[in-house]
Amino acid sequence: MSTPYPFTAVVGQTDLRLALLLNAVSPAVGGVLVRGEKGTAKSTAVRALSALLPQVDVVPGCRFSCAPGAPDPACPDGPHEPGAGAARPARMVELPVGASEDRLVGALDIERALAEGVKAFEPGLLADAHRGILYVDEVNLLHDHLIDLLLDAAAMGASYVEREGVSVRHAARFLLVGTMNPEEGELRPQLLDRFGLTVEVAASREPAQRVEVVRRRLAYEDDSEAFAIRWADEEHEVRARVVAARALLPQVSLGDTALLQIAAACAGFEVDGMRADIVMARTATALAAWAGRTSVRKEDVRQAALLALPHRRRRNPFDAPGLDEEMLDRILDGFPDEEPEPDPEPQGPDDGGDGDGGGPDGDGGGVPPQHDGPPAQDADFPEAAPDAPDTSREDAPQPSPQGSGAAEQAPVAAAEPFRTKVLSVPGLGEGAAGRRSRARTAHGRTTGSQRPRGHLTKLHLAATVHAAAPHQKARGRAGRGLVIRKDDLRQATREGREGNLVLFVVDASGSMAARQRMSAVKGAVMSLLLDAYQRRDKVGLITFRGSGAELALPPTSSVDAAAARLERLPTGGRTPLAAGLLKAHEVLRVERLRDPSRRPLLVVVTDGRATSAGVPGGRPGDTPRELSGRSARLLASEGIASVVVDCESGPVRLGLAGVLAADLGAPAVTLDGLRADSLAGLVKNVRTAVTHTASLDSTSRRAA
């Protein structure tokens, strides 16, 4: 096993290191969520933290790491006899994004439970992480039900495994750390609230700071053991300081003034519930202990607010995370300071620091100092050093299509979002768990049974008994219990909901450019984006205007990136509807190769006009409308579920969006009919598209 990168050698990232150390001092703070772009030391700092945690005493042979002095009375390996324990380093357990529920919480041997009445339990990662660190990289990509199980165990300090009435419980108290790249999608606000602290990290743009990152990384790769020895003294000092802060923590006093400051800050920033108040109180107490003090000061409360409140202010994915520090100072200044105690004597080189700020106000309560280089805000980690900075952000301005053919109009703001009707894909899918369309999933209502493929996870008890019953006499059954064999076991098949790929094709041509009209269109698309976020979909955005179409946002889980692109969307020029539809066909073809199980839903937002071909080739004499019709029928022939949002307005309507919907085999819904509380929308779901198309075809034949 390679030598881990030292925690004290990480360059800069003061907030990240401080948040991790506060949780090491007081795990009751509730863990850390680290948000940042790729290559910002998130994983390196977390993995390095485990070396700073004190060793733990465990009962020899206990798979659940029970403490010898106070073993868990419900431990599945218990009861434990009194005796001396064995010391071992605190573990850091990583939860992979693709982990199953059984891998997380453990697996119960159903066959032995039914046949022998024995609770044969194989521990999962929650048991391995007890009294250590549980690290979830890319936590925003983890399935929702696994996140729910994980956070419930972290909140209760225990994990419960239940299978058909047979249950096992064991202790699961750990330091929870999650990392994520916001460009790949956000966590739900309810899940964000369950993390105690959050930290935003970003790579430095200062050349001198980046040089120090590269220098340390290269030294570590040349000889990791020698590099670790070089930082051994600093590691030992911080480890000793964590132990001292843990011992001091019960003596820290949280006065009434500090409690009032905490309550005022949470109320002033309008955070929901009381969890923020509790987390701030625990964080401020840990800050005081880390600084070697026995009372909480205003600067502790301020630093606690900066770590505990930003992620709790996000009400939807379009809200920017962060905290108004001037407002925070005004709130805290409204309370008189308590008489401060004298500063503690310096405990070592940590108290001097290197100008990183030490504690919240440079009082020796901060993170380890930096050496052999200038103070930096970047960090040292494998993925960042060799790469040049990436300036191609999701929200960066994008070039507009060439040859727009008309003056470009400035972007207009979107109207207020609203709750939309549910649009879903017909049939039964097998995609990633979500909340939009029907699918076969691991969770949901039971619809039948089948022989298990691999490890049994969800027993169908009635089907298992039915399979075993005819063979009881041949198997020599003598008592009341059934004789169960492995071939009798049946897996329950369940139906739930899946997330889809919702691809928006938005008309940005001159016919849509009226300010009031485009504002309403953007508001409708924003509403659909918010709905996609709540239903755990991937989204993509195609716009067409002038002489062509562009992929403004490749399919992604980052709904807020799509919203940012839409907000800046310019309008003007002719209407190349066919180009937009063919671009959608190409994007969906590529995505089908990347993720064949995720079914697409195409949402075309247009008034149906087509005034420019926008595509090469075509037959001589083809009009733009004929090209768009042929492109739409191509999509329909491949079974792509679609819906057309008709943006036409005014007393005289051409009905071209309805014609496009007929070619796509899709329903058409007006902007007003898209609202969930509207009576105007008669078509609620794309599964009615066949009936809708048949009706239009019948009308056309009668007219002919």
Side-chain angles (χ1 to χ4, degrees):
M1 181 179 179
S2 62
T3 304
Y5 194 92
F7 186 85
T8 50
V10 173
V11 181
Q13 301 294 20
T14 304
D15 287 343
L16 170 58
R17 292 184 293 142
L18 178 59
L20 292 172
L21 289 170
L22 292 177
N23 275 271
V25 171
S26 175
V29 166
V32 186
L33 175 64
V34 187
R35 296 163 45 90
E37 59 193 10
K38 52 187 175 294
T40 47
K42 300 188 298 291
S43 301
T44 298
V46 174
R47 293 189 176 101
L49 177 67
S50 60
L52 301 181
L53 298 183
Q55 288 193 328
V56 294
D57 291 330
V58 298
V59 174
C62 178
R63 298 174 297 169
F64 301 88
S65 302
C66 283
D72 181 9
C75 176
D77 284 355
H80 298 300
E81 297 294 331
R88 65 161 176 78
R91 293 173 179 160
M92 195 199 74
V93 177
E94 294 194 41
L95 174 63
V97 170
S100 65
E101 180 180 341
D102 283 351
R103 185 72 185 98
L104 176 64
V105 301
L108 191 64
D109 191 329
I110 298 297
E111 184 178 2
R112 291 189 63 190
L114 290 177
E116 305 173 28
V118 175
K119 293 183 180 179
F121 182 69
E122 183 66 29
L125 295 178
L126 291 181
D128 292 342
H130 180 46
R131 304 176 68 194
I133 301 174
L134 182 60
Y135 172 46
V136 188
D137 194 13
E138 306 293 354
V139 65
N140 52 326
L141 303 182
L142 200 65
H143 287 310
D144 281 356
H145 75 281
L146 292 182
I147 296 178
D148 291 334
L149 290 170
L150 179 65
L151 295 178
D152 284 344
M156 295 185 297
S159 175
Y160 295 85
V161 183
E162 298 192 12
R163 295 287 189 275
E164 304 297 338
V166 181
S167 63
V168 173
R169 174 209 168 275
H170 66 83
R173 290 183 294 275
F174 46 82
L175 167 55
L176 175 63
V177 183
T179 57
M180 60 175 284
N181 184 348
E183 294 178 354
E184 297 174 340
E186 287 287 354
L187 282 172
R188 305 197 310 265
Q190 296 88 340
L191 298 181
L192 283 172
D193 184 55
R194 300 293 289 275
F195 282 93
L197 309 179
T198 186
V199 177
E200 295 278 343
V201 295
S204 171
R205 296 297 183 254
E206 293 295 329
Q209 296 170 352
R210 300 177 74 93
V211 165
E212 185 62 21
V213 172
V214 176
R215 181 181 291 119
R216 294 189 187 185
R217 183 64 209 176
L218 294 179
Y220 172 73
E221 290 181 347
D222 287 343
D223 191 340
S224 60
E225 292 186 6
F227 187 81
I229 292 173
R230 175 182 165 192
W231 292 91
D233 290 343
E234 286 83 354
E235 293 281 289
H236 176 74
E237 291 168 1
V238 175
R239 189 181 302 110
R241 190 170 172 185
V242 169
V243 173
R246 281 190 174 187
L248 182 62
L249 187 65
Q251 305 172 37
V252 176
S253 171
L254 185 66
D256 291 341
T257 299
L259 283 171
L260 284 171
Q261 291 170 341
I262 290 170
C266 293
F269 286 105
E270 300 180 348
V271 297
D272 294 332
M274 295 298 298
R275 184 175 283 116
D277 303 63
I278 297 171
V279 170
M280 274 190 64
R282 290 171 174 167
T283 305
T285 304
L287 279 162
W290 177 249
R293 291 185 268 103
T294 57
S295 65
V296 173
R297 298 178 179 176
K298 182 167 69 175
E299 57 261 30
D300 298 327
V301 175
R302 186 182 191 278
Q303 183 66 51
L306 294 176
L307 294 172
L309 295 186
H311 61 301
R312 293 184 166 89
R313 284 179 48 76
R314 297 199 72 182
R315 304 302 176 88
N316 64 63
F318 310 143
D319 292 339
L323 207 64
D324 185 341
E325 295 191 34
E326 292 184 1
M327 178 179 173
L328 175 61
D329 289 334
R330 288 196 301 271
I331 292 173
L332 298 182
D333 288 342
F335 297 88
D337 292 331
E338 293 181 340
E339 187 68 25
E341 64 179 81
D343 286 338
E345 292 296 324
Q347 299 177 0
D350 285 350
D351 292 323
D354 63 342
D356 272 345
D361 277 287
D363 62 346
V367 296
Q370 302 295 303
H371 301 284
D372 301 331
Q377 295 175 354
D378 201 349
D380 196 0
F381 45 94
E383 60 268 31
D387 295 333
D390 180 13
T391 58
S392 58
R393 300 292 303 273
E394 292 288 1
D395 55 355
Q398 299 295 309
S400 60
Q402 298 297 318
S404 60
E408 182 177 295
Q409 301 190 23
V412 298
E416 189 70 21
F418 52 84
R419 190 165 63 90
T420 66
K421 288 186 170 67
V422 179
L423 304 173
S424 61
V425 178
L428 194 63
E430 295 182 349
R435 299 182 179 182
R436 184 171 296 279
S437 305
R438 294 174 54 227
R440 298 182 184 92
T441 60
H443 299 270
R445 64 185 183 90
T446 301
T447 58
S449 65
Q450 62 182 14
R451 291 182 181 272
R453 304 177 204 172
H455 185 68
L456 177 70
T457 56
K458 300 291 182 182
L459 178 74
H460 195 296
L461 184 58
T464 299
V465 172
H466 187 270
H471 308 290
Q472 296 305 295
K473 185 175 181 180
R475 294 173 183 173
R477 173 185 170 187
R480 298 178 61 185
L482 287 174
V483 180
I484 302 290
R485 301 282 173 81
K486 188 171 183 178
D487 290 343
D488 301 328
L489 300 178
R490 295 293 183 269
Q491 174 88 18
T493 57
R494 305 196 173 198
E495 181 179 311
R497 293 280 170 175
E498 67 176 359
N500 298 112
L501 166 58
V502 182
L503 182 60
F504 294 92
V505 181
V506 180
D507 186 346
S509 64
S511 65
M512 303 283 289
R515 297 186 68 85
Q516 185 176 2
R517 183 178 181 187
M518 198 61 199
S519 176
V521 169
K522 285 188 175 182
V525 178
M526 286 284 194
S527 304
L528 290 168
L529 283 171
L530 183 58
D531 180 69
Y533 164 77
Q534 294 168 340
R535 299 186 186 281
R536 321 312 295 163
D537 296 317
K538 290 179 68 175
V539 297
L541 177 64
I542 293 172
T543 63
F544 60 93
R545 65 186 184 94
S547 60
E550 67 168 329
L551 180 60
L553 182 71
T556 175
S557 298
S558 180
V559 176
D560 51 345
R565 293 290 176 86
L566 182 71
E567 191 69 34
R568 295 190 305 273
L569 177 66
T571 57
R574 300 173 68 83
T575 312
L577 178 56
L581 296 175
L582 290 177
K583 175 65 75 173
H585 179 269
E586 175 64 18
V587 170
L588 294 178
R589 183 187 66 80
V590 173
E591 285 301 308
R592 193 180 300 118
L593 297 175
R594 291 177 177 169
D595 189 358
S597 64
R598 187 180 289 270
R599 298 186 296 164
L601 175 61
L602 183 65
V603 179
V604 185
V605 184
T606 181
D607 57 9
R609 290 182 173 87
T611 60
S612 171
V615 292
R619 296 180 299 211
D622 279 346
T623 66
R625 187 176 297 176
E626 290 170 340
L627 284 173
S628 62
R630 195 153 63 244
S631 302
R633 289 189 290 274
L634 172 64
L635 289 164
S637 68
E638 296 188 3
I640 295 173
S642 309
V643 61
V644 176
V645 179
D646 185 358
C647 301
E648 193 173 28
S649 60
V652 179
R653 305 193 181 210
L654 301 178
L656 297 177
V659 176
L660 174 64
D663 288 330
L664 284 169
V669 57
T670 64
L671 290 176
D672 183 60
L674 194 61
R675 295 178 179 270
D677 55 355
S678 171
L679 299 178
L682 299 179
V683 182
K684 307 299 191 301
N685 194 295
V686 295
R687 66 167 57 92
T688 61
V690 175
T691 305
H692 180 77
T693 306
S695 175
L696 288 175
D697 289 345
S698 176
T699 302
S700 300
R701 286 195 296 271
R702 286 198 301 270

